[in-house]
Amino acid sequence: MESRTFSTESYFQTQRPPSGLAERTQKMTEFVDKWRAVPNQRVVLVTSGGTTVPLEANTVRFLDNFSAGTRGATSAEHFLSAGYAVIFLHRLHSLRPFSRHYSHSLNPFLDLLSVVQSSSDTAVSEHAKSLLPILQAHQKAQSEGKLLSVDFQTVNEYLWLLKSVTSVLAPLQRRGMFYLAAAVSDFFLPEDRIAEHKIQSVHGTLSLEMDQVPKVLKPLVQEWNPEGYIVSFKLETDSTLLIPKSRAALSRYGHQLVIGNELHHRKQRVVFVEPAHPSSTPRKARADERIREVETPPLMSGDGVDSFRETWLRLEDYEGKRTDGNPESELEIEELIIKELVQRHTSWIEAGYSSTS
Ligand code: 9Z3
């Protein structure tokens, strides 16, 4: 059988929505309505973790990818501390904001606890001290109702949820941001091709012909939510492809920013690739001389983007210099990313006021 390329339209016409979509959409709608009523409140959608691709309808086996959800979970924390309300759309069992500090094999939670023998024992362990700010930030997010977590597992669930949350966010116009950090499968097995039951091993080998997952970023940017500030990620393992592929995505989809990262260095450095001359966004002069900017010459004639600006963010440039004034915690690259994004989002919102007045 030939592999086919689904358009976004044909995908949603032929692949069934996951169960519970309506309930989850309802929850997200209530969350957005609540925060939309608060003047100037910003809302960000953070997608996080990998997606699975089932090989059988009654799924015993599935394809998966490496993503643990660190980028998304860490970024969600920094968006919250910047005042955003956050919809955290994540892969089931991937890392989550706040609890990520103590899950999986990192800092196993039980190792941090000790049994206190007498009630007069008031000693606080070193571990408990570092837990405190995390617990406080978690409880603040909970009590303010600023974090809504919604999970998915398969790429089909992810695509349906993304489509639905995108429309839910549309009334926020420029106050909405998209931070699409989930590692989404490029291939899937459509309903008319997937095995119903567990694939048997009698044939000795297994060949799979998969179809391409449609590029939903295009309708997202151009139809579903034309006003939001949209950030996508580009992951490569060959560093020479990183910038060309990021530029190509920007040209093709026409959104605001692609953050490029290489698999093995993703926690140390990323590159922001954006139009050199954003249509309605006057770029503010940068105060921070540590950020390296290079304006690049025209590369391709896409949907209007003909020159690009690249900005590298590297942890090594910030060694020993905390940006939040807290010398205790370790600096993570997401803190630098979110700081940059908040500025860009502000410019985007301001440009919207000036273009409508
Ligand atoms: C990313 O590039 C993320 O930064 C990572 C984060 C998945 C590398 P971890 O979860 O890793 O912290 O372990 N996400 C997007 C990757 C992606 O699938 N992008 C698509 C593409 O490159 C387009 S949106 O084609």
Side-chain angles (χ1 to χ4, degrees):
M1 219 193 279
E2 285 276 292
S3 75
R4 294 160 298 186
T5 309
F6 281 84
S7 66
T8 305
E9 215 180 1
S10 65
Y11 181 92
F12 289 113
Q13 276 165 4
T14 55
Q15 309 303 305
R16 260 175 295 181
S19 63
L21 179 67
E23 292 82 347
R24 283 182 276 179
T25 303
Q26 178 62 26
K27 264 198 196 159
M28 296 190 287
T29 307
E30 284 163 14
F31 182 85
V32 170
D33 284 350
K34 178 173 90 182
W35 290 112
R36 188 155 68 99
V38 177
N40 301 321
Q41 176 65 50
R42 302 175 187 191
V43 181
V44 62
L45 170 74
V46 174
T47 71
S48 186
T51 55
T52 66
V53 178
L55 303 188
E56 299 124 344
N58 291 286
T59 309
V60 174
R61 305 184 187 92
F62 53 81
L63 298 179
D64 204 352
N65 66 48
F66 70 95
S67 169
T70 311
R71 176 82 79 225
T74 310
S75 301
E77 288 176 19
H78 290 291
F79 276 120
L80 285 165
S81 65
Y84 281 70
V86 178
I87 299 181
F88 184 62
L89 185 60
H90 68 287
R91 156 78 185 276
L92 186 70
H93 305 315
S94 62
L95 293 174
R96 299 177 65 156
F98 309 114
S99 69
R100 74 177 170 102
H101 297 274
Y102 301 98
S103 51
H104 294 195
S105 55
L106 184 79
N107 275 335
F109 196 62
L110 291 181
D111 291 357
L112 308 182
L113 302 178
S114 53
V115 176
V116 177
Q117 299 296 350
S118 101
S119 57
S120 62
D121 185 350
T122 53
V124 177
S125 77
E126 278 309 301
H127 293 312
K129 270 190 216 152
S130 58
L131 173 71
L132 192 62
I134 297 164
L135 186 61
Q136 282 167 332
H138 167 73
Q139 288 184 346
K140 182 168 186 280
Q142 293 291 329
S143 65
E144 293 176 351
K146 273 202 164 154
L147 173 62
L148 176 68
S149 294
V150 177
D151 60 57
F152 61 81
Q153 195 152 12
T154 66
V155 67
N156 185 53
E157 263 183 292
Y158 166 83
L159 290 171
W160 277 99
L161 280 164
L162 181 67
K163 180 173 191 242
S164 118
V165 68
T166 303
S167 310
V168 166
L169 286 165
L172 282 162
Q173 298 180 320
R174 292 194 175 214
R175 282 196 279 153
M177 192 197 297
F178 289 74
Y179 185 82
L180 306 173
V184 183
S185 174
D186 282 327
F187 303 101
F188 78 115
L189 282 167
E191 282 182 26
D192 62 357
R193 204 181 260 209
I194 193 169
E196 173 72 12
H197 291 290
K198 183 184 166 210
I199 298 169
Q200 299 297 317
S201 58
V202 284
H203 304 299
T205 60
L206 172 64
S207 309
L208 291 172
E209 187 143 294
M210 304 178 88
D211 290 356
Q212 244 189 60
V213 170
K215 304 283 181 205
V216 294
L217 202 48
K218 191 157 187 145
L220 192 160
V221 172
Q222 294 171 8
E223 296 163 37
W224 303 340
N225 197 316
E227 283 291 289
Y229 188 84
I230 297 172
V231 182
S232 72
F233 280 79
K234 175 60 70 185
L235 173 70
E236 292 297 336
T237 56
D238 176 348
S239 61
T240 63
L241 292 178
L242 193 60
I243 289 179
K245 298 276 295 245
S246 299
R247 290 177 181 176
L250 208 57
S251 290
R252 188 170 308 132
Y253 306 123
H255 57 306
Q256 288 82 359
L257 175 66
V258 177
I259 302 182
N261 55 174
E262 294 157 56
L263 182 66
H264 301 298
H265 301 288
R266 67 189 191 278
K267 296 185 183 179
Q268 288 81 43
R269 57 174 188 249
V270 299
V271 59
F272 279 31
V273 181
E274 54 203 322
H277 308 287
S279 50
S280 56
T281 313
R283 180 169 289 278
K284 291 208 166 109
R286 299 302 177 83
D288 195 333
E289 81 293 347
R290 278 172 299 181
I291 290 168
R292 304 172 191 170
E293 288 196 350
V294 194
E295 191 159 325
T296 51
L299 177 84
M300 62 190 75
S301 54
D303 295 345
V305 185
D306 58 6
S307 67
F308 303 87
R309 179 190 296 268
E310 271 107 43
T311 311
W312 281 95
L313 294 183
R314 302 175 209 259
L315 265 190
E316 66 189 17
D317 292 348
Y318 291 80
E319 236 154 58
K321 298 173 193 131
R322 298 283 316 164
T323 63
D324 67 355
N326 178 0
E328 293 284 305
S329 58
E330 199 183 311
L331 181 64
E332 294 165 305
I333 195 153
E334 287 78 10
E335 184 174 332
L336 306 177
I337 296 175
I338 299 336
K339 223 174 140 227
E340 283 291 304
L341 289 184
V342 171
Q343 287 180 17
R344 283 163 172 77
H345 194 192
T346 303
S347 303
W348 178 246
I349 293 169
E350 285 168 359
Y353 291 139
S354 54
S355 66
T356 50
S357 58

